[in-house]
Structures are given as structure tokens and as C-alpha cells.
Amino acid sequence: MSVYFPHKKLPYLLVLPQLVITLIFFLWPAEQAFEQAFYQEDAFGLSREFVGFDNFVYLFNDPQYYKSIWVTLVFSFSVAFSGLAIALWLAVMADRVIRGKLTYQTLLVWPYAVAPALAGVLWWLLFDPSMGPVALWLQYFGVDWNHFLNGDQAMTLVVISATWKQISYNFLFFLAGLQAVPRSLIEAASIDGASPFKRFWTIVFPLLSPTTFFLLVINLVYAFFDTFGVIDATTQGGPGVSTATMVYKVFNDGFIGLDMGSSAAQSVVLMFLVGVMTVIQFRYIERKVEY
Amino acid sequence: MYKLKLASAVIGLSIASSGFAATDIEWWHAMGGANGEKVNEIAKAFNDSQDAYTVKPVYKGNYTETMTSAIAAFRAKKQPHIVQVFEVGTASMMSAKGAIYPVYELMRESGQSFDQSGFLSAVTGYYSDQEGNMLSMPFNSSTPVLYYNKDLFAKAGIQNPPTTWEEMESVSQKLLDNGVKCGFTTAWQSWVQLENFSARHNVPFASEANGFGGLDTKLTFNGPSQVAHIEKMSEWQQNGIFSYGGRRSDSAPKFYSEECAMFMNSSAGYAGIKKNAKFDFGVSQLPYQGSAISEPKNTIIGGASLWVLQGHKKEEYKGVASFLSFLSRAEVQADWHQFSGYLPITRAAYDLTKGQGFYAQNVGTETGVLQMTSGTPTPNSKGLRLGNFVQIRDIINEELEGVWAGQKSAQAALDEAVKRGNVLLRKFERANK
């Protein structure tokens, strides 16, 4: 027997606020970016010229742009992977703590309140090759730390600054997820003689998979879109173009360089790329998730 | 009786406030911290000096944020009267003919007496059109100078700072022999090592008089003298005479921590160095190649100027004009120069500061002025007017970093930077036709 609701209009009325918000804050700006991508105009918008696909042609004829796609992939997957791994490890540890649990958990959540650009500046200070304590400590151990010249080190630095902030967020979700794992299952396994390691990988980790999948999507989106502040405050995309991610280029070309056409074209490419990635995630990875 | 008095007082007050309501003039600027407070002080001094206009300074963040928000405001028809724009944004502002109100026209049309010849030509040259008319009002200008650690110099037995690049090498070598880790480092590599290097050696940075002659300019900084200089610096990066410390002024810690004995940075960095250096330091002019030239040209400026935007009432522009006149007064200029460390903009402000004995008390603060005013500016040392210049500087940063890391030769990197930069110049030309 199916339940029947007599109201035809009410459901639409109820979702209306959500639709309006999506329309105004998501679809409309996206449409604007899409339109802008086919124009070239001066900074003040005094003259506007329809250029067809010129902005895209220019983009894909630029070897630097392909580099930035590669940089983005390396950066985003490093951020998502290390963010998830460290947060999971911390959550498992925090879940086992009995005394001072609340203090410990609260402290771990704190970094989330720090603004991305500020986080960038903090790490920039810690790793400054001449004055930063971490850099001096690394040099003491024979690591020649100079992210102003070494592209891999610069990448490491931006990955650390971008990840650090996200760990708190991931931690919260993992902790909640862990607390939802039935105790009885774990107890049964330990009675059967499974080691803590084995218990984690065969019981806890698979049961956490919905949380992990959700966080993977969120973290990748964060790394793709939300990290230009960190990069601007630490490396400005350098040395060379070794930390110039796609979203940093969108920000830099659009807001600093005032080249709206190219910036818009780049955001369209970025939107497309993230769209494809999300589809892949939901089609292939989500199948492995056990709800 | 009492009520009547009160009523007339109220009426009188309301008439007074409506009759003499001051016209508001909005000024968007990028001066944070102590300089920002000084800006408020200047505006207050102007507001107190007359009662027809009220200048309202609004801090809008850093240079790029200020410029971007002014442009966004213009598109939304909510633009301020005056906006402070950094020197690399000059070409974008100039090309926006319908958006800006050139300062010389403003002054003429508002009947303000305005004598351009009182300004230092090295400063106004940057902001003038081909006919020499001032398009914007210089406000805070700086120029790169050489800072050196006097303590380390004394320890190595060196008396004088180097004046040529050849001496730069020998002095640095001597410092290295005496246990100093690095000879020199530089901030703003494109501005100091390419833009100012070209000006000082009177070689073009770009064609069409560095872009002053038209939008069809092409970059030319891959000439033999620039390549030789970058080549030499890359060699020095390997042997410790030079040590690269990052973009913008990220290299400052190298000088503060006494890792590097010399540091090339903006003259406006004086206060910061004074605060952070725990050693005695001196200021000297930028070196030049003694083998190539006998006398260097003037250096070019950085910093920002004030642009007046279109779209306001005539009456309001009168206020803008009288405020700009107020700003260029010798005592206002001299006060701002001495407080902020930016260069004086008029000859009178310079003379006044000198007369007050400021340079004698603050040794080194005059270096930038002397260096910038030495000789008459040539088309190569007048300044730069290149569209998309912010991104071109990024490209230069990227390519130079390849050189410092030993991945690219100086010639290959500068060729590539010119090639990539020219694409951006063509884009700018197309968008601003």
C-alpha cells in the first residue's frame, strides 16, 4: 500500500528556498563564468569582444597549462590522501583514549578555525630557509631545505599547509564514524583472537567506508577549489610553476592579472574536470562502499 | 521666550547643516598599519583646513585588492573619486580612457593652479603620457637600493660598499673568505635585476620606449647585457656570492639573520630593516657594470599613484582637485616622506626635508632620492608601461627561478620569458584597442 499525499504544490514550495539558493549562488555564477569564457574584455569592462573559442585555444596551446593540470593532480591527491590517513590515525588513537578525551578531541579540532591564508603564513614562517625553526632543524639533520629553489620541497610545503587545516575536519567525521561501529563486533573478533591490527582492517575500516568515501569527495573538492589562499601566502605558485595549481591560476589571472576571459575559460575547464572526477567517484569507487 | 530661542536655534542649526554640508570625496587606498593611520591624518588635516569638502579615506586591502575592488565598483557604478593604484597597474588604468579622469585635465578644468615642473621628473615620467601630461598623482614612490651589513664588512676589513657589479663580486668573495655564508640576496628580482638593471644601463626593457610609445610594444630584456648579468648571477648562485631567497621580499630574513651581507630592496624597506637588523647597516646605490658604462642612469620607481575616476559631479571634482593640490604641498609631502620612507615627489619637499636636517640624522634615507634623480631620464629609464604586467612579472619570476635552480641557461630563460610575455602583451593590445 502506498502512502498518498494530497498536496500537489506543497512539496515544491518546500524545496523552493533550496532551489532559489542553488540558482542564485551556484548556477547563475557558473553561467556567468561560462559566458565570460567566450569574451575578451578590458579590466573596466568598457569594451567587450566576442572571441569564440580563442580563450580556450590560447589555454591549450600553452605548455604551462598542462603542467598546471599535472601539478593540480599531484597536489590534490596528496592533500586528500595525507589528510585522510593522518585524520584516521588520530581518530583511532583518540577513540582509545579514556582520560582527558574531551580536551584531546577539542584541541585536535582547533586548526579548522584558522583561515587558509593564515595557515599558509604560519607554515611559511616555520619553513623559512633562513629563520624557520623546522627548516633549521631539517638542515641540522643534513636536509638542504630551500623551497624557494626546490620545486619538490615547495610542493611538500603547500601540501602540508593545505592538509594541516583539513585534518581537523576529517578527524571529526572519522571519530563519529568510529563511535558508530558496534562494540559487539569488535569484542567478538577479539574473543576469536584477532589482533588489534587485524580487527581494524577487517572490521572497522570496511564499516567506516561510507565516511571515508564522503570525506574523499569533500577533500578532493577542497584541494581543487579552496587552496589558492594557502598557495598565495606560501609560494605564489613558485619556484618556476611547480606549485601553480589550476585554481591558483584562475585566481591569479583573474583577480591579480585582471584577465577575465582567460580566468573564466580556466574555471570552465576546472568545473568540467571536477565534474568528471565526481562522476568517476560515484560510479566506480562508491560501489566498493558498504552502507 | 525660552522656547522661541530653542526653536530658532534648531532652525538655525538645520539651515546651517544643509547650507554648508560638505561634499564627500571617497579615497580608496592600500596603506595598512602605521602608513594607513598617516593617510587618515593627512585627510583630517585637509578636512580641517576648509569646510567645503570631506575626504574619506577607505582602506581596501593590499594593492591588488584595492585595484580589483575599484574596478569592480566601477563596473557597478559605485566607484570612489580617488583610488591608489600600484605602478604595474599603470598601463591598465591608462588604457581605460572612459574610466579615468587625467589629473592634468582635472586640474585645468577645476581651475587649480598646478605646476608640473615642481615634481621630480623621474617620478612623474612614469605616470605621464607621451606629451608629458600627468595622468595620475604620484603618492608613494620608492626605488631599489643596496643595503649592507656594516658589522660584517668591518670584520672582513672592507671599507666601502661596492659601486659596480665587478666590485660586488670581489667584495662578496672577500666576505665569503671571512666566513660569511652569502654575499648578497635580492628582493623583487624582476624589478631590481631586470627592470632597474636595464634602466640603469640605458638598454630597453621593451620596444616602443618601454611601452610608452604604444600598445604594440614587444619585450626586449633578452638583450646581451641583461643575459650577461643573469648569467653571472646564476654562476654566483652556485658559488655562494648570490643566494636566491624567494619572490617579493621573502629574501629579507637572509639579510636580517646575517646569512647574506648585502640586500637589494626597495628604499621604502628602510624602516623594516631598521626594526629587524640587530647590526649596523648602511645604504648605498645599486651597482652597475663598470666594464659597460662609466656612469649609470637613474633608477626607476615602484610604489603607487592616485588615479581619479570618472562618473562623479563637477562640484565633487573641484574638491578632488583641491585635495590633490593640498597633497602636493611641500610640508605635506615632506612629512609623508619622512614618516613612511617613500620618496619625496616634489623638489620643494626634498629641499624642505634636507633643510630640516632629516638626511643628516637618518643616514641612508637620501640614497634613493639621489640615485633616482641622477641625470635626465632617457626613454629606457623613464619607466615601464606594459599591459598585463603583473602576469609578465610572474613569468619572469618563473623563468629566473629555473636559472637559479640550475635547470636553464640565462639566455634560454630570458628568451622564453620574452616569448611568453609577448603573448600577454598581444592579448592586452587586442582587449584595449
Side-chain angles (χ1 to χ4, degrees), chain B residues 164-185:
Chain B
T164 63
W165 280 106
E166 290 82 358
E167 284 174 26
M168 213 51 203
E169 184 170 26
S170 59
V171 162
S172 298
Q173 195 54 55
K174 213 164 175 188
L175 287 159
L176 293 187
D177 294 342
N178 281 279
V180 179
K181 250 179 99 184
C182 115
F184 74 98
T185 187

Side-chain angles (χ1 to χ4, degrees), chain B residues 26-87:
Chain B
E26 234 176 284
W27 173 20
W28 288 8
H29 66 87
M31 301 274 93
N35 284 347
E37 281 161 35
K38 195 72 189 174
V39 161
N40 291 338
E41 211 178 281
I42 293 171
K44 191 174 178 298
F46 173 75
N47 295 341
D48 291 347
S49 73
Q50 43 75 49
D51 45 43
Y53 311 103
T54 311
V55 169
K56 293 195 163 152
V58 184
Y59 174 60
K60 281 280 166 183
N62 64 28
Y63 283 140
T64 28
E65 284 160 359
T66 306
M67 184 168 171
T68 313
S69 40
I71 287 173
F74 183 85
R75 284 169 166 246
K77 300 195 168 41
K78 297 238 183 314
Q79 69 272 32
H81 300 78
I82 308 172
V83 60
Q84 184 187 16
V85 175
F86 58 164
E87 91 280 14

Side-chain angles (χ1 to χ4, degrees), chain B residues 254-299:
Chain B
K254 281 187 183 285
F255 184 64
Y256 299 156
S257 65
E258 303 196 57
E259 182 185 329
C260 294
M262 290 178 277
F263 179 37
M264 295 175 197
N265 190 21
S266 159
S267 56
Y270 185 87
I273 291 176
K274 201 166 182 179
K275 205 173 98 190
N276 286 293
K278 287 166 197 76
F279 48 84
D280 198 14
F281 72 93
V283 188
S284 157
Q285 300 202 4
L286 279 190
Y288 59 93
Q289 282 176 340
S291 57
I293 51 170
S294 55
E295 209 182 329
K297 293 288 167 205
N298 62 297
T299 47

